[in-house]
Amino acid sequence: MRAQDADRLFYYLCGGLALGLILLVIGIGLTLLWGSLPSIKAFGFKFLWGKVWDPVNEEFGALPFIVGTLITSFLALIITFPFAISSGIFLAEYAPPRIAGPLSALIELLAGIPSVIYGLWALFYLVPVVRWFEMRLGAPPFGLGLPTASLVLAIMILPYAASITREVLKMVPQELKEAAYGLGATRWEVIRGVCLPYASSGIVAGLVLSLGRALGETMAVTMVIGNRSEMPTSFWDLANTMASVIANEFTEASKDIHLAALIEVGLLLFVITLLVNILARMVIIRLKVK
Amino acid sequence: MAARTVTDPKELAIFEVRDLWAYYNEKPAIRKVSLKIPEKKITAIMGPSGCGKTTFIRCLNRLHELTPGASIKGEILLRDKNILEMDPVLVRRKIGMVFQRPNPFPTMTIYDNVIAGYKLLGVRLKREEADRIVEEALRKAALWDEVKDSLHKRGTYLSGGQQQRLCIARALAVKPEVLLMDEPTSALDPKSTAKIEELIVELKRSVTIVIVTHNIAQAGRVADYTAFFYLGELVEFGPTSEIFTVPKDPRTEEFLKGKFG
Amino acid sequence: MNRLLYRKLKDRLAFFLILVLALCPTLPLFHILLGVVKQGISSISLEFFIHLPKPPGEEGGGVGNAIVGTLMLALSASLLAVPIGILCGVYLSEYAKGRFGEAVRIAADVLQGTPSIVFGIIAYLWVVKPMGHFSAFSGSVALAIMMLPVIVRSTEEILRMIPETLREASLALGVNYWRTVLKVIIPTGLVGITTGILLSLARIMGETAPLLFTAFGNPFWNFNPMQPVEALPLVVFKYAISPYEEWIRQAWGASLVLTGLVLVLNLSARLLARRMGGHGR
């Protein structure tokens, strides 16, 4: 074999594996589609806005989970937003490097704690706190449910959102900031007037990525959301998210149509997170063009 | 402008370049260059920056074509065989190269760096043979005395000048017929430069050397022949003494007087 | 003068607000860590590491099978993901130009952003269903898919940082490209690639969702990759939602072990990355 042939072979090996990565993604999409065909055939688009999820009578509508997922994720994002932005600003602009470095490393380490442990912690520390509030406010004192799930999600995505904010703020050119200082601006005025506008689209992209995480988060949510497959009627209700219903029912689904319906929920989850990530990517590309 | 006929050197030529064009993304960087490079002599390629001198020698061992968007046209005969039709890997075994910045392999010891040309190819050397090759190459590169007690330290611990001589040893170890040097002293201090220049003159007994330099004085000190490139064209080629004393082309003269910077 | 005072006051105020908001969220994060240590430490004993779990209601027992299972899953997922991931990364850094390379990068990003439970479904449909039963192997397929994007992207980034002249030095010696890649480029970036692998391991070691219907869990010792296997995160989940006090206590113990594993992996990745940072210049 000539040297060039070996090189070509190696090129095809690497290229083939890279192609495999693309095929893997396509394969995942197609497999989910194929697996959910029975459910798609049986319910069509009604699956998306059906409010009843009843495995016994084989009626499946995913709206309660879609609503549960959207409520918890957006609520988590709203809760986390001021904290994440402040942490990002603090780490990028205020904290001296000797503190900022270790502190952000520490926060990132904590972000690596497995989801199931956040769930365990929430179950034993967060649930009593929420229950206490519920009793004060006259709500049903489950302790579990939408508010608890949103809170634990907010805590989980915070380190992620904060570190992206910090990185984006670090990219603001020093000259710009110095120019503003040169005009006699205070530090807050520089952050407010120069840094945040410059970094805004990056921060938005970071928040969108964090939203993507919250949408797909499974274990911690499953452990505290109460697992009730009905439409939530109030903020304090027990509920289910798309991910948590899969986690709860997949191994128990004895009927094929039930399994197909769960796979379709998985397909929805896949498509939604895909769209969210593409959105974030587009924002980032626009940032780079600027 | 039409290609200039170049005076044939009297010596036996090892390389004959005929009508060479080299491009980056369709833009020519070398325009119809023809010349003969004499064997066991030192040929300097000189010219202002951006004149294509580095591109030219990177054609000679077919490194040029690895740059994305690069292409090449013409003939380069090494002992009457067109290297553009040979397996590039074989071409590079015969034609060694030393780069602008010393680039020893950071993961390898000094010893392993010298025999990298064998090790990387998976050639198994006997212990004594490897020892012999390493010592011979390091002696040729005038580095042996300085490193013989630290052969198993990393190559990156050496000084810049020593690293460059290590790279020369690495190139020599595979016994090339030609050694290409791309501004080998531009990243070095004057003392290391002097040492490398001495070494280059010493080396021409065993190997043909083509050296790119933008340093006029260096070409004058080491080269037997000098080629002057300007904007991708070969302006003038001949014995260094002639080029330096009686340049035929006004552009060469201006360059020698330091007008191009 | 008044105006300046007002501006300065606003500056101070903004600082304190940011400081408070920035430090608030570190409280729950530290509380989690402290909680795991405080609650978990009482379960830790030699027995806990090497014994099988006892039936509910009985005192004692351990999570030895889950530790073995987690290590087994991590090892087999690495065997699948590391070679493929590195070669994909090589492709992206060495060869990929234009649209195809961009498509590969997008594919890696999509995998990175896909919820882990989806990989559980996929491994169920691809492996569990054809085989007819749950297995450690199906779990490692799901985990391997999760490791891939991290390894691919970190390998690509590291290899891009390796100076071009090193590639050329090897090529100029007449070494062909694939040997140059395997013997010069990858070894030079090895520290960085290892960092990526450690980070991807840390990411998957604590994953529960993809294992629920693949590795499934198993209260006994199992060393056969084709059989169901227990894993630490599965134990934490199962015990945490159980009504038995002893199990809940052990859930904290298992959490401590798991957190320890993940933190050690993350820390060593960081230390390696720092060493590389000092070494590169």
Side-chain angles (χ1 to χ4, degrees):
Chain A
M1 189 159 61
R2 294 191 320 153
Q4 270 175 309
D5 296 335
D7 277 352
R8 188 150 303 146
L9 208 67
F10 184 69
Y11 171 77
Y12 285 135
L13 175 67
C14 293
L17 289 173
L19 180 66
L21 208 64
I22 298 177
L23 293 180
L24 182 64
V25 172
I26 296 172
I28 287 173
L30 289 180
T31 305
L32 291 173
L33 193 64
W34 171 78
S36 47
L37 268 184
S39 159
I40 294 174
K41 274 187 195 145
F43 309 112
F45 279 110
K46 229 179 67 200
F47 189 79
L48 294 179
W49 55 75
K51 290 184 191 165
V52 179
W53 180 272
D54 186 353
V56 180
N57 294 317
E58 300 191 5
E59 191 182 347
F60 295 101
L63 192 63
F65 316 129
I66 297 174
V67 169
T69 301
L70 292 180
I71 291 180
T72 48
S73 301
F74 277 97
L75 214 54
L77 196 63
I78 292 167
I79 298 171
T80 236
F81 175 78
F83 297 105
I85 299 291
S86 303
S87 298
I89 294 176
F90 178 74
L91 290 172
E93 302 293 329
Y94 287 105
R98 268 182 44 210
I99 297 176
L103 195 62
S104 42
L106 199 63
I107 289 178
E108 272 166 46
L109 275 186
L110 292 173
I113 291 177
S115 153
V116 69
I117 294 176
Y118 277 92
L120 177 68
W121 174 83
L123 211 48
F124 288 91
Y125 290 106
L126 205 55
V127 166
V129 173
V130 173
R131 185 178 294 140
W132 185 84
F133 271 104
E134 284 172 338
M135 290 202 309
R136 289 289 142 122
L137 296 167
F142 296 123
L144 303 168
L146 289 172
T148 323
S150 310
L151 270 177
V152 73
L153 275 180
I155 294 171
M156 291 179 76
I157 59 175
L158 190 128
Y160 189 63
S163 73
I164 295 182
T165 308
R166 169 175 172 259
E167 270 168 42
V168 180
L169 282 173
K170 285 247 169 222
M171 278 159 50
V172 178
Q174 194 62 28
E175 305 94 80
L176 276 184
K177 289 197 259 177
E178 279 169 8
Y181 280 122
L183 292 170
T186 63
R187 186 177 260 192
W188 170 243
E189 285 160 352
V190 173
I191 292 170
R192 179 71 214 279
V194 177
C195 300
L196 288 179
Y198 188 91
S200 58
S201 54
I203 295 175
V204 171
L207 290 173
V208 175
L209 285 173
S210 312
L211 178 70
R213 288 215 156 177
L215 289 170
E217 181 47 55
T218 312
M219 296 321 292
V221 173
T222 305
M223 291 163 85
V224 297
I225 197 160
N227 303 312
R228 203 185 68 144
S229 298
E230 282 165 40
M231 265 317 264
T233 48
S234 92
F235 172 66
W236 306 100
D237 251 351
L238 302 180
N240 239 337
T241 65
M242 294 155 80
S244 74
V245 75
I246 301 173
N248 272 313
E249 297 186 2
F250 202 86
T251 47
E252 294 157 11
S254 47
K255 295 172 186 161
D256 284 347
I257 187 77
H258 189 188
L259 200 66
L262 287 170
I263 295 172
E264 192 176 351
V265 175
L267 176 66
L268 281 179
L269 198 55
F270 179 67
V271 171
I272 293 176
T273 47
L274 186 72
L275 292 178
V276 166
N277 281 306
I278 289 174
L279 183 69
R281 219 184 142 80
M282 276 159 55
V283 178
I284 290 170
I285 288 170
R286 248 194 36 206
L287 177 79
K288 276 188 185 149
V289 169
K290 188 173 81 176
Chain B
M1 193 191 294
R4 190 168 295 269
T5 27
V6 167
T7 5
D8 276 348
K10 295 174 202 76
E11 276 86 0
L12 188 67
I14 185 166
F15 259 129
E16 186 179 353
V17 178
R18 285 187 196 154
D19 295 344
L20 184 73
W21 291 79
Y23 305 85
Y24 290 104
N25 301 318
E26 327 276 292
K27 267 170 51 193
I30 295 289
R31 300 159 183 269
K32 208 173 180 190
V33 166
S34 302
L35 87 166
K36 288 181 178 173
I37 292 171
E39 191 171 359
K40 302 260 167 83
K41 294 284 172 210
I42 299 170
T43 303
I45 312 287
M46 218 172 54
S49 44
C51 68
K53 45 190 198 298
T54 293
T55 307
F56 177 71
I57 69 160
R58 286 167 65 91
C59 289
L60 297 184
N61 69 344
R62 299 192 57 183
L63 267 191
H64 171 70
E65 65 203 67
L66 292 174
T67 314
S71 57
I72 192 169
K73 212 174 76 187
E75 281 183 354
I76 302 173
L77 305 177
L78 176 69
R79 297 197 194 287
D80 299 325
K81 271 183 77 180
N82 188 355
I83 64 164
L84 298 183
E85 286 160 8
M86 287 163 71
D87 188 334
V89 166
L90 294 179
V91 173
R92 294 176 201 139
R93 298 294 284 176
K94 292 184 186 181
I95 302 168
M97 186 160 191
V98 176
F99 296 82
Q100 255 189 46
R101 292 185 160 274
N103 53 1
F105 297 120
T107 54
M108 296 185 192
T109 61
I110 294 174
Y111 187 95
D112 287 343
N113 257 293
V114 178
I115 51 167
Y118 299 92
K119 272 195 83 153
L120 292 177
L121 278 167
V123 178
R124 293 202 169 272
L125 292 173
K126 283 206 198 95
R127 181 80 205 172
E128 314 85 69
E129 204 188 346
D131 286 348
R132 192 180 50 74
I133 292 174
V134 168
E135 180 172 348
E136 200 183 302
L138 285 172
R139 277 190 193 282
K140 270 194 193 162
L143 191 60
W144 174 251
D145 291 332
E146 290 160 61
V147 300
K148 64 178 178 220
D149 299 320
S150 46
L151 288 175
H152 295 284
K153 281 191 186 157
R154 292 276 165 102
T156 38
Y157 287 117
L158 297 173
S159 75
Q162 287 174 323
Q163 282 189 21
Q164 193 60 302
R165 278 179 280 148
L166 176 59
C167 293
I168 294 174
R170 180 176 68 189
L172 292 174
V174 288
K175 305 197 172 58
E177 296 183 40
V178 182
L179 189 59
L180 307 174
M181 304 181 111
D182 183 8
E183 305 199 23
T185 60
S186 66
L188 302 180
D189 60 276
K191 219 170 158 188
S192 307
T193 301
K195 205 146 192 179
I196 301 255
E197 283 180 7
E198 251 173 64
L199 173 60
I200 293 171
V201 176
E202 189 65 30
L203 281 176
K204 79 170 170 186
R205 280 196 276 174
S206 52
V207 64
T208 307
I209 291 174
V210 182
I211 178 172
V212 163
T213 178
H214 62 259
N215 182 334
I216 300 164
Q218 183 168 62
R221 285 193 297 267
V222 301
D224 302 305
Y225 287 85
T226 294
F228 176 66
F229 276 61
Y230 186 66
L231 298 179
E233 284 177 35
L234 176 61
V235 173
E236 197 164 350
F237 179 56
T240 305
S241 49
E242 282 177 29
I243 296 254
F244 273 57
T245 47
V246 278
K248 294 189 189 109
D249 194 288
R251 289 172 293 182
T252 315
E253 196 176 346
E254 275 178 41
F255 179 73
L256 291 173
K257 283 181 188 157
K259 292 236 167 98
F260 291 116
Chain C
M1 207 51 213
N2 252 345
R3 168 113 189 97
L4 184 65
L5 205 66
Y6 168 72
R7 284 176 52 211
K8 283 205 159 158
L9 202 69
K10 211 165 106 183
D11 187 50
R12 295 264 81 180
L13 216 69
F15 171 67
F16 281 115
L17 191 66
I18 285 169
L19 186 67
V20 171
L21 287 178
L23 294 184
C24 267
T26 57
L27 295 177
L29 289 172
F30 282 110
H31 191 254
I32 291 170
L33 197 61
L34 287 177
V36 169
V37 172
K38 215 180 86 195
Q39 302 270 6
I41 204 93
S42 67
S43 307
I44 300 297
S45 62
L46 184 62
E47 191 196 357
F48 189 69
F49 281 100
I50 59 174
H51 278 216
L52 284 177
K54 290 238 170 96
E58 279 180 50
E59 292 277 309
V63 293
N65 57 333
I67 295 176
V68 169
T70 286
L71 296 179
M72 187 167 136
L73 286 166
L75 185 71
S76 45
S78 308
L79 287 179
L80 288 171
V82 168
I84 298 177
I86 290 182
L87 289 181
C88 284
V90 165
Y91 180 82
L92 286 181
S93 82
E94 303 296 315
Y95 300 107
K97 285 149 217 130
R99 285 173 172 237
F100 180 66
E102 202 46 38
V104 176
R105 274 180 209 109
I106 291 175
D109 283 359
V110 169
L111 287 182
Q112 177 102 38
T114 300
S116 58
I117 188 127
V118 171
F119 300 124
I121 300 179
I122 288 301
Y124 177 86
L125 293 175
W126 284 355
V127 187
V128 176
K129 233 177 153 191
M131 271 174 61
H133 57 85
F134 300 111
S135 63
F137 175 66
S138 59
S140 39
V141 168
L143 296 180
I145 300 177
M146 295 190 66
M147 288 176 81
L148 270 178
V150 185
I151 300 178
V152 170
R153 293 314 292 272
S154 63
T155 303
E156 182 197 356
E157 264 169 47
I158 294 301
L159 296 190
R160 271 179 192 279
M161 276 163 35
I162 292 173
E164 192 57 34
T165 97
L166 227 50
R167 268 176 206 109
E168 293 185 340
S170 174
L171 293 172
L173 283 172
V175 179
N176 33 3
Y177 208 93
W178 71 274
R179 280 183 195 275
T180 301
V181 169
L182 292 186
K183 298 196 168 175
V184 175
I185 299 177
I186 291 181
T188 309
L190 198 61
V191 178
I193 294 174
T194 313
T195 306
I197 293 171
L198 289 178
L199 284 177
S200 70
L201 269 177
R203 183 181 175 214
I204 57 129
M205 279 256 208
E207 274 297 338
T208 320
L211 300 182
L212 288 172
F213 20 91
T214 54
F216 192 69
N218 183 342
F220 306 106
W221 294 108
N222 171 39
F223 301 95
N224 180 354
M226 290 308 154
Q227 288 302 319
V229 73
E230 195 60 270
L232 280 171
L234 284 175
V235 167
V236 175
F237 179 55
K238 217 179 305 173
Y239 283 11
I241 57 174
S242 80
Y244 313 111
E245 208 144 297
E246 175 67 10
W247 272 18
I248 289 171
R249 195 175 64 81
Q250 295 203 356
W252 287 103
S255 297
L256 181 57
V257 177
L258 189 56
T259 309
L261 268 175
V262 171
L263 288 191
V264 163
L265 281 171
N266 266 321
L267 270 178
S268 23
R270 255 161 223 288
L271 289 178
L272 261 186
R274 181 176 303 174
R275 213 195 68 182
M276 184 179 57
H279 217 69
R281 279 288 112 189

